[in-house]
Amino acid sequence: MRFPKTLLPAVLLAAIAAAAGRPVTAELPPPPAFTADELHHRYETGGWPGRQFLALSRTGDGQAIEVVGDLATARTIIVYVPGSGQSLSSFDSSFEGPGRAARALHREATTIAPGVAVIGWLGYDPPDLINPEILTIWPAERGASRLRTFVRALPARARVSLVCHSYGSVVCGQAAPGLPVDDLVVTGSPGMGVRTAGQLRTPARVWAGLGRRDDVFRAGVRIGPLGFGTDPASPGFGARVFDGGTATHGGYLKPGSPTLKRITRIAVTGTTG
């Protein structure tokens, strides 16, 4: 999520009007029972042959939820939540696109432990990079409601981690209170909508990484619906900070990169070592 600071005053004024009138996209169907038969049926009717989609909508910018791995037997489930500008057309086209990211995380996870499934969750409508609403909490609140419903439906037997990039970290921050997850990992975050990790009211370990070449815009404050609060990678926030290396804003999950390895290990084991 990049934004030129010189345009901030004008955009803040426009954001309220733009966001208030923005249509809300239709929700995807609820997840099925997580049995082998039910999942197989959903994949067969998912609308993308050869891939495991729990849901797929081509309306508007599109939404989709894809599974990589065996979700029916998974002992660890990683849910990847993408950020601003992501859509069905970019699902596989960048390192941070939900489909490509899920496959990268899964490939790395198989080198750490068996029984891991990864879900690329584009179950909300991320704000476009040129839409003033990108500076508000409103899209995140809508997305958080859907993310909470989805995560709470996951099998109780599994360890669950959220990996949230850019504006997706705002979504995860709004969804976090009381959500049954073990680890919450944010990268390239503009903020999570709060001042401290304690205000997330989550049982999860909260992790944050910021690459030295990441130019994500971080206002550092939240005033009503505008802004996203404290940088989660800053010392005062209270997250477990991990090394973001030299990652650019879109490069945290680049295959073979140290950041991909760190993020995946945290999501699978809850540790960096």
Side-chain angles (χ1 to χ4, degrees):
M1 177 181 171
R2 303 178 183 88
F3 196 81
K5 297 181 181 181
T6 55
L7 296 181
L8 181 59
V11 170
L12 291 179
L13 292 174
I16 296 176
R22 183 176 173 84
V24 178
T25 56
E27 292 192 35
L28 294 173
F34 291 99
T35 64
D37 288 344
E38 289 292 332
L39 288 169
H40 178 73
H41 174 72
R42 185 64 69 92
Y43 298 155
E44 287 292 302
T45 59
W48 200 319
R51 294 174 68 170
Q52 299 183 147
F53 278 86
L54 292 176
L56 176 65
S57 171
R58 301 183 188 278
T59 302
D61 290 335
Q63 296 180 54
I65 302 173
E66 183 181 18
V67 177
V68 182
D70 187 352
L71 188 55
T73 62
R75 296 194 294 272
T76 298
I77 299 171
I78 302 171
V79 181
Y80 174 76
V81 182
S84 54
Q86 293 296 331
S87 65
L88 194 58
S89 64
S90 64
F91 200 80
D92 295 316
S93 63
S94 70
F95 296 133
E96 307 301 333
R100 191 169 176 180
R103 291 193 293 277
L105 286 163
H106 185 260
R107 280 194 298 269
E108 187 64 33
T110 60
T111 70
I112 299 171
V116 179
V118 183
I119 298 170
W121 188 85
L122 184 62
Y124 80 116
D125 185 21
D128 296 329
L129 294 171
I130 59 172
N131 191 313
E133 195 178 20
I134 196 173
L135 290 178
T136 76
I137 207 82
W138 285 311
E141 290 177 336
R142 296 193 293 266
S145 175
R146 299 178 183 189
L147 181 61
R148 279 193 294 267
T149 298
F150 181 80
V151 170
R152 285 175 175 153
L154 293 173
R157 68 172 186 278
R159 162 191 167 79
V160 177
S161 294
L162 298 181
V163 174
C164 318
H165 176 248
S166 191
Y167 193 89
S169 69
V170 190
V171 177
C172 290
Q174 298 306 291
L179 201 64
V181 298
D182 296 275
D183 288 278
L184 197 169
V185 187
V186 301
T187 60
S189 176
M192 301 181 74
V194 295
R195 292 191 304 274
T196 67
Q199 291 180 332
L200 293 171
R201 294 182 287 122
T202 175
R205 290 175 289 266
V206 180
W207 303 79
L210 184 67
R212 291 188 289 278
R213 294 192 294 159
D214 189 336
D215 58 354
V216 63
F217 175 74
R218 303 183 299 282
V221 297
R222 176 180 172 185
I223 304 173
L226 301 174
F228 309 115
T230 306
D231 173 7
S234 65
F237 185 79
R240 303 178 184 214
V241 178
F242 63 92
D243 184 7
T246 59
T248 60
H249 190 62
Y252 290 96
L253 300 182
K254 182 178 180 180
S257 67
T259 48
L260 172 61
K261 295 178 185 298
R262 291 187 195 106
I263 291 164
T264 309
R265 182 163 292 279
I266 291 169
V268 173
T269 70
T271 68
T272 56

